[in-house]
Amino acid sequence: MLEGAGMGKLKKMKASLKLPQVLRRSYVHLSQSKEIIMNKIALIRAEGKQKLIVVSDFDLTLTKYRVKGQLGMTSYRVVDTSLQMSEAYRQEALSLRDLYAPIEHNQDLSLQERAQAMEDWTTGANDLLVKHQLRRDDIPNIVAKANVELRPHYHLFSELLSAENIPLLIFSAGLWDSVSEILEQQQGPLGDNAHIVSNRLVFNKAGVAVDYQRPVIHSYRKGTIPDRFMDVKNSIQGRYNVVLLGDTLSDTKMTAGLERVDHVIKIGFLNSNEKELMSKYKERFDIVLTGDPDLSTPLCVLKTILE
């Protein structure tokens, strides 16, 4: 349950934030009229919190796009750029990025071609971590020195879900080992309601990476819950209403692996190229947020559902 300062902040925010007003903010862009959006949320609210699940991307969705004037790091890039890793590793990781990053959102390529490239990139990134023997004990220091930061109000967002026992399913094409460490350092231990579905390394008894779990999870496979995440499948059983958070167009498909979806409200963070991408984001998301904002808008959506 929320306690102490956290409860006080949430009560204060609850008193000051009303969804109709929040939806009128300059950085909040609606795909349809405010009335239609409010009706979608009302449908989820009417069926109760016991039917609700929150599905979210991690990199640049729950984390900030810009940190200290620079681009925020993804959970793989945290390791890729770390001076604790060898120069050979950093160069090989950079070569992979230079090869595959331009392909990820290249609309001139077919979905199948992009998906295959992302699978090759993720597999190659994991192979590198094993090849260069990443040590589990090095990850906390790597994360502590990285340019990565959770969005403001994440603690209220996660604590509200924990207090209401609503599953938070974090789908990430990143690295489970650094995602979990970022959350641990900046928020604290995950609640029993929260689950990370991501790429996880396998360490030997000496704490050295020797393998990784398969199949890999990339940006075009985030909607799939592999069988190794059976506890996740069990925790969301019977929950068919979704609040979804993402920052890429492919994130809108993160509900594809769920057993069933009755109602969904999709909130997208449009982090760059606003003029070029706004129309496409409005086609996929119900609410589009620009300007690298905090999590007060999705938090307000959740509070409205739970009131």
Side-chain angles (χ1 to χ4, degrees), residues 33-277:
S33 71
K34 184 177 68 176
E35 290 71 25
I36 291 176
I37 300 297
M38 292 296 293
N39 283 340
K40 283 189 173 186
I41 294 170
L43 289 171
I44 297 175
R45 177 181 176 181
E47 296 195 1
K49 66 181 182 181
Q50 69 277 4
K51 293 292 184 70
L52 180 63
I53 177 177
V54 175
V55 175
S56 180
D57 171 54
F58 183 76
D59 292 325
L60 311 181
T61 296
L62 295 181
T63 62
K64 295 176 65 176
Y65 181 66
R66 289 196 172 273
V67 180
K68 300 175 184 177
Q70 299 180 330
L71 292 178
M73 292 181 178
T74 65
S75 51
Y76 270 110
R77 194 150 178 77
V78 160
V79 183
D80 292 349
T81 59
S82 174
L83 295 179
Q84 285 188 233
M85 303 298 290
S86 68
E87 175 67 20
Y89 167 81
R90 296 199 303 274
Q91 287 299 320
E92 288 181 73
L94 179 61
S95 295
L96 280 179
R97 178 173 296 276
D98 289 344
L99 175 63
Y100 289 112
I103 298 175
E104 184 171 10
H105 305 296
N106 186 345
Q107 299 299 314
D108 292 332
L109 299 175
S110 69
L111 177 60
Q112 183 177 0
E113 289 173 315
R114 281 176 279 153
Q116 183 60 57
M118 292 308 98
E119 176 145 0
D120 293 343
W121 186 6
T122 305
T123 299
N126 291 341
D127 285 339
L128 275 184
L129 291 170
V130 172
K131 173 184 174 182
H132 291 273
Q133 299 183 315
L134 173 67
R135 298 189 64 85
R136 181 166 49 200
D137 290 346
D138 287 339
I139 295 175
N141 195 45
I142 287 173
V143 166
K145 293 181 178 180
N147 196 50
V148 62
E149 190 174 309
L150 293 170
R151 289 189 187 271
H153 300 322
Y154 173 81
H155 64 292
L156 294 177
F157 176 81
S158 64
E159 287 173 3
L160 175 62
L161 295 176
S162 179
E164 298 291 348
N165 197 29
I166 296 168
L168 169 60
L169 178 53
I170 300 175
F171 269 124
S172 175
L175 184 63
W176 185 99
D177 307 271
S178 52
V179 170
S180 60
E181 185 63 31
I182 292 166
L183 290 167
E184 175 81 20
Q185 289 189 16
Q186 299 188 20
Q187 166 63 21
L190 280 179
D192 293 338
N193 66 305
H195 308 273
I196 304 169
V197 177
S198 189
N199 297 292
R200 189 168 187 174
L201 296 170
V202 176
F203 296 91
N204 63 16
K205 291 181 179 180
V208 176
V210 293
D211 203 353
Y212 51 89
Q213 296 178 342
R214 295 171 177 81
V216 298
I217 298 171
H218 53 76
S219 54
Y220 291 95
R221 190 186 276 160
K222 277 194 283 186
T224 301
I225 305 178
D227 289 340
R228 64 180 184 268
F229 294 101
M230 189 57 64
D231 59 329
V232 176
K233 294 183 179 182
N234 292 336
S235 73
I236 63 176
Q237 193 169 19
R239 294 177 179 267
Y240 307 128
N241 296 327
V242 182
V243 174
L244 180 147
L245 281 66
D247 74 296
T248 66
L249 295 174
S250 60
D251 284 341
T252 58
K253 298 185 182 298
M254 288 189 296
T255 58
L258 302 183
E259 176 187 359
R260 172 178 136 196
V261 176
D262 290 346
H263 307 293
V264 58
I265 186 83
K266 298 179 181 180
I267 304 172
F269 290 84
L270 177 48
N271 292 316
S272 61
N273 300 324
E274 295 176 14
K275 290 184 179 180
E276 299 172 18
L277 296 174

